[in-house]
Amino acid sequence: MNMQLTKSQIGLDGVPAAETVLSHVDGERGELIIAGDHVAELAAQSSFEGVTARLWNAASGRALTEANVRASLGAARERAFARLADLLPATPGLSIVDGFRAAIAALRAENGLEPEAVIVGAFPVIAGALVQRAAGGNAIAPDPTASHAADTLSMLLARKPAPRQVAALNAYFVTVCDHGMNASTFTTRVVASTQADLFAAIAAGYCALTGPLHGGAPEPVLEMLDAIGTRERIAPWVDAALARGERLMGFGHRIYKVRDPRADVLKTAIERLATNGTDLPFASEVETYIREALRREKPDRRLDTNVEFFTAILLDALGIPRQAFTPIFAVARAAGWTAHAREQQRTGRLIRPSSLYLGPKPAHVPD
Ligand code: ACO
């Protein structure tokens, strides 16, 4: 019998692969719950440290407070800065995305710090050092007393950020810190299920994040907006790209069949940022046209805006170089990855699916 898997089966569409208390995505209602609250409420009210405490507590039954996490991330940023000489040797000549991969592979356990904090604390220090080096400068020392969002911006921009910039990056961090069984989280959980340590699991998660079908999309979103350029060119540019069969970055999602709720949260954060450095009305016009064009061209597909469209605009408005967008996504998502890795390890169950063999079989050898 020549059985084959369907496209949905190959992509594991809709297959629950874990039980989790960390986050829930309802693709029909356009709803995202993180650690028990809707993403919009969390982004408006919580610090990244507060949400991280909730995720880590939920994953491993601890009772960390926001202040505990703020202190441990501050200490971990300092430790990572002191260890930069050990973390960066494999990175010269690599892009920021690839350099980040090489540097995080060199992270290891540190005395007196939980692995979760070592990882989440080190990520913005490494991203900052790579961004500064690409600009010809030296890494900026962290301030362990600052919030994670404020210190991340200082290290990236080499200046003290304005409070409204810190609020915008914090809203972004909270919005994208966890998101159900996305590809990078699943990867992280597979590695953690082998009882490999958190450093191995998170390095694998980051590798999965870098592809354009996942966390690598925001840089191409900006390239698309640059290529469109003017209002008059929106329709012809989008129509031609769709006619060529191209995917428009920042649109479509495996789970969301309506607009990704994170898109609205980030759009609000951009409006609050009120910067002259971005053309939100133009981007919104592009978004409106693309949504209409996708409905027209792919009426049975239910494609809508995903988080990456407004991620690109927000991070650009903050002055973060587009080459660093994926590592900055990882700074936030590391909170979720570490929690998922712990939750998975606690199950003690190896993730090991099967495959359908379609290759040749050995010729029958008679006895
Ligand atoms: N633009 C144009 N067409 C699209 C898009 C898009 N952005 N997304 C999906 N489609 C089309 C596909 O070409 C396909 O059409 P076909 O059946 O006629 O060939 C159909 O919609 C369904 O596509 P699938 O690949 O089955 O959808 P899937 O669930 O795998 O897609 C994905 C999800 C990968 C995110 C896809 O929508 C995509 O490539 N989007 C662009 C990249 C992007 O924005 N990535 C960030 C995702 S958010 C995140 O991970 C943080």
Side-chain angles (χ1 to χ4, degrees):
M1 193 174 50
N2 201 6
M3 233 178 72
Q4 283 193 324
L5 298 178
T6 63
K7 192 173 156 184
S8 290
Q9 287 172 318
I10 291 169
L12 299 179
D13 301 18
V15 176
E19 293 177 339
T20 185
V21 294
L22 299 171
S23 59
H24 173 65
V25 186
D26 185 330
E28 285 298 333
R29 298 170 66 179
E31 200 174 82
L32 167 61
I33 294 168
I34 303 175
D37 272 322
H38 283 114
V39 64
E41 284 149 34
L42 280 181
Q45 293 161 13
S46 300
S47 68
F48 173 70
E49 290 86 341
V51 181
T52 301
R54 289 168 64 168
L55 289 172
W56 288 351
N57 290 342
S60 47
R62 284 180 290 175
L64 297 168
T65 63
E66 177 182 6
N68 295 147
V69 171
R70 184 167 168 145
S72 64
L73 292 186
R77 292 194 301 272
E78 264 197 322
R79 195 80 65 88
F81 187 75
R83 281 202 62 224
L84 272 179
D86 303 332
L87 299 176
L88 299 183
T91 64
L94 299 179
S95 66
I96 293 174
V97 169
D98 290 343
F100 191 82
R101 170 167 52 77
I104 68 171
L107 288 172
R108 56 158 165 75
E110 298 274 355
N111 283 340
L113 285 172
E114 298 280 356
E116 286 91 329
V118 173
I119 291 164
V120 178
F123 274 23
V125 176
I126 293 168
L130 294 173
V131 165
Q132 293 310 325
R133 192 179 63 194
N138 292 323
I140 308 296
D143 170 2
T145 65
S147 73
H148 207 56
D151 215 19
T152 298
L153 272 178
S154 302
M155 291 185 283
L156 286 170
L157 306 178
R159 60 171 182 274
K160 197 170 157 35
R164 63 189 168 79
Q165 293 177 306
V166 175
L169 190 66
N170 181 72
Y172 170 70
F173 279 178
V174 170
T175 303
V176 303
C177 69
D178 198 32
H179 197 240
M181 194 56 66
N182 59 85
S184 56
T185 299
F186 182 51
T187 306
T188 300
R189 289 190 77 123
V190 170
V191 177
S193 83
T194 71
Q195 299 297 332
D197 68 20
L198 250 58
F199 298 99
I202 273 60
Y206 174 73
C207 292
L209 186 74
T210 56
L213 301 192
H214 190 12
E219 186 180 351
V221 167
L222 281 193
E223 284 161 5
M224 175 177 75
L225 291 173
D226 288 350
I228 295 173
T230 61
R231 290 187 159 72
E232 302 69 49
R233 282 171 45 85
I234 297 175
W237 193 97
V238 170
D239 293 349
L242 287 176
R244 287 192 299 271
E246 287 174 16
R247 286 183 181 219
L248 301 172
M249 293 292 128
F251 295 86
H253 199 275
R254 176 65 60 82
I255 306 287
Y256 291 120
K257 298 305 164 201
V258 296
R259 200 161 184 265
D260 183 336
R262 299 170 297 175
D264 280 330
V265 176
L266 295 187
K267 193 172 181 188
T268 304
I270 299 166
E271 283 158 357
R272 289 212 181 107
L273 183 59
T275 174
N276 295 327
T278 188
D279 191 351
L280 186 58
F282 173 66
S284 297
E285 242 180 85
V286 171
E287 186 207 5
T288 303
Y289 187 80
I290 291 179
R291 292 174 81 193
E292 286 166 10
L294 288 171
R295 257 175 234 138
R296 190 179 64 231
E297 298 300 321
K298 309 220 174 223
D300 52 340
R301 293 297 183 196
R302 301 179 67 195
L303 301 168
D304 214 319
T305 319
N306 68 45
V307 66
E308 301 292 47
F309 188 78
F310 288 107
T311 290
I313 295 153
L314 178 64
L315 297 185
D316 187 49
L318 286 170
I320 297 171
R322 60 182 74 181
Q323 298 78 9
F325 285 180
T326 304
I328 297 308
F329 189 170
V331 171
R333 185 54 63 84
W337 289 335
T338 45
H340 278 275
R342 281 281 184 232
E343 192 180 52
Q344 183 64 43
Q345 283 176 336
R346 281 169 58 128
T347 69
R349 183 76 181 155
L350 174 72
I351 298 176
R352 203 302 188 188
S354 58
S355 49
L356 182 66
Y357 181 65
L358 299 177
K361 300 222 167 99
H364 178 66
V365 182
D367 300 331

